[in-house]
Amino acid sequence: CLSAPFLPVVLRADGFGGDPFYQCLIAELAPEQEDKQGHLIGYALFFFGYSVNTGRIVYLENLYVVSESRGRGIGKKLMSEVAKVALARGCVEMKFTVAEWNVRALAWYRQLGAQDKTEAGGWHCMELGGEALHRLAGDRR
Amino acid sequence: MECVLRPCRAEDCAEVMRMIKELAEFEKLPDQVQISDQVLREDGFANDPFYRCLVAEVPPEHRSRDGHTVVGYGLYFFTYSTWKGRNIYMEDLYVMPEFRGKGIGKKLMSKIAEIGVENRCTQLKFVVLDWNRTAIDFYQGQGAVDLTTAEGWHFFHIEGDALEQLAQGHLGH
């Protein structure tokens, strides 16, 4: 299902308020290559979490490079920077999800050493939201 | 039977660790547990905790055959979706076998959902093994959607040496 476009004000409050829910690294073009659309060309949004198996983990929620800047190692550099931040915080594992139809992304992540735990171990991603979440929470509204 | 849910305290970590191992045995993955109760304590009760945990406790007169009064737990943390904002991730939900069928699991999950709603989270997320039909049926009965089956999402990880090499920029081209 489609969600409403995410408001910048919410992103700002949730990332830069008293208790940030995420961190974000951005890839920026150096000034001499600046184009008229601005110079942000990619980002990696992540947060810290926990695995009862391995302990501290980092979860990579989004990795994106604008199409005209791909093929230059920027995505890999962003991943590498997230890995550095993660290791500095004592994390031993990075987790993320990829859609199975995104064959290029699957191959790209695999060549960086990623393993598909759904394919290998039968792990399924589950989500409970909307009415069902409120019902479970015992929300009387 | 009276069962109380309360936030895990540092001194509960040994009990939670016991149950983490029990759950791993059930999942047929006992060798994957690499942390200790000491690590659990450091990561959950320092300045910047990596997780939160609820425990289910029964009164002493209803303790387990082995003498435990902490009989279940739900371990969770807050996450983020660039589409939907704040989420809550349920890493583990477990009730000891002899205490199942009494609604304790649902009570734990419900409390985590309540904490999520109080904190403006819009989704409760978790993973489940494809052979665990009882769990899948329970979760779908609560309204959960299997995103792997429905939309083809696969869960990936990078760990150990591969993570170190990624940090150093040695993998890939």
Side-chain angles (χ1 to χ4, degrees):
Chain A
C1 73
L2 294 175
S3 335
F6 210 59
L7 298 173
V9 64
V10 176
L11 212 55
R12 191 177 302 127
D14 289 341
F16 299 90
D19 190 12
F21 272 68
Y22 68 86
Q23 291 187 42
C24 191
L25 289 173
I26 58 171
E28 233 175 1
L29 282 179
E32 55 268 21
Q33 291 163 282
E34 196 173 327
D35 64 46
K36 58 183 183 291
Q37 287 156 330
H39 40 244
L40 291 189
I41 56 163
Y43 76 98
L45 192 143
F46 60 97
F47 46 81
F48 295 101
Y50 212 67
S51 155
V52 292
N53 290 333
T54 54
R56 301 176 181 194
I57 60 151
V58 69
Y59 189 91
L60 179 65
E61 168 64 17
N62 263 193
L63 177 70
Y64 182 73
V65 176
V66 300
S67 53
E68 52 268 30
S69 296
R70 288 177 203 162
R72 293 201 239 144
I74 294 163
K76 194 190 154 205
K77 208 165 171 192
L78 280 164
M79 283 279 280
S80 185
E81 288 302 312
V82 173
K84 279 185 197 148
V85 169
L87 288 170
R89 248 204 114 191
C91 300
V92 296
E93 193 175 1
M94 180 191 292
K95 293 185 174 183
F96 50 96
T97 58
V98 187
E100 68 186 5
W101 50 258
N102 196 347
V103 175
R104 283 181 69 187
L106 293 176
W108 191 82
Y109 286 118
R110 281 206 184 95
Q111 73 86 54
L112 291 177
Q115 296 169 317
D116 184 337
K117 295 193 80 172
T118 295
E119 195 177 84
W123 290 101
H124 280 223
C125 310
M126 307 287 284
E127 183 178 90
L128 198 157
E131 281 285 324
L133 180 66
H134 285 275
R135 208 167 36 243
L136 181 63
D139 205 336
R140 305 284 179 266
R141 282 178 292 162
Chain B
M1 172 198 298
E2 197 191 309
C3 169
V4 165
L5 299 193
R6 59 169 177 79
C8 174
R9 296 187 285 257
E11 52 269 29
D12 294 317
C13 285
E15 285 292 274
V16 174
M17 201 63 234
R18 167 184 62 84
M19 291 187 287
I20 285 172
K21 288 176 183 165
E22 287 173 17
L23 179 52
E25 286 278 346
F26 169 76
E27 289 170 342
K28 303 171 191 161
L29 302 162
D31 302 329
Q32 299 220 349
V33 180
Q34 293 158 40
I35 63 168
S36 64
D37 56 304
Q38 170 71 5
V39 170
L40 204 60
R41 196 175 302 124
E42 281 166 9
D43 291 343
F45 296 90
N47 279 336
D48 198 2
F50 277 74
Y51 70 85
R52 295 184 200 193
C53 188
L54 292 169
V55 295
E57 191 164 37
V58 297
E61 59 269 26
H62 293 296
R63 63 187 174 276
S64 76
R65 281 190 289 273
D66 292 339
H68 301 291
T69 55
V70 174
V71 302
Y73 73 100
L75 194 144
Y76 64 95
F77 50 90
F78 292 103
T79 64
Y80 208 70
S81 158
T82 44
W83 292 354
K84 297 176 183 175
R86 301 176 174 197
N87 287 337
I88 188 162
Y89 185 88
M90 186 170 70
E91 164 67 8
D92 263 13
L93 179 69
Y94 176 76
V95 177
M96 291 171 67
E98 68 190 273
F99 292 90
R100 288 184 200 156
K102 302 178 199 304
I104 298 174
K106 170 135 189 245
K107 218 173 154 179
L108 280 163
M109 195 169 169
S110 184
K111 188 66 191 168
I112 292 172
E114 190 188 318
I115 290 166
V117 169
E118 277 167 10
N119 283 276
R120 294 197 287 111
C121 297
T122 57
Q123 307 288 328
L124 167 61
K125 301 184 85 143
F126 50 101
V127 293
V128 67
L129 285 161
D130 60 4
W131 54 258
N132 196 349
R133 259 327 327 162
T134 316
I136 294 176
D137 289 345
F138 169 70
Y139 293 131
Q140 287 179 328
Q142 303 301 319
V145 174
D146 181 336
L147 294 176
T148 296
T149 302
E151 296 178 16
W153 289 99
H154 282 224
F155 178 41
F156 272 68
H157 78 158
I158 300 179
E159 60 171 359
D161 288 342
L163 187 65
E164 299 266 352
Q165 287 180 49
L166 179 64
Q168 288 161 37
H170 291 165
L171 279 176
H173 318 293

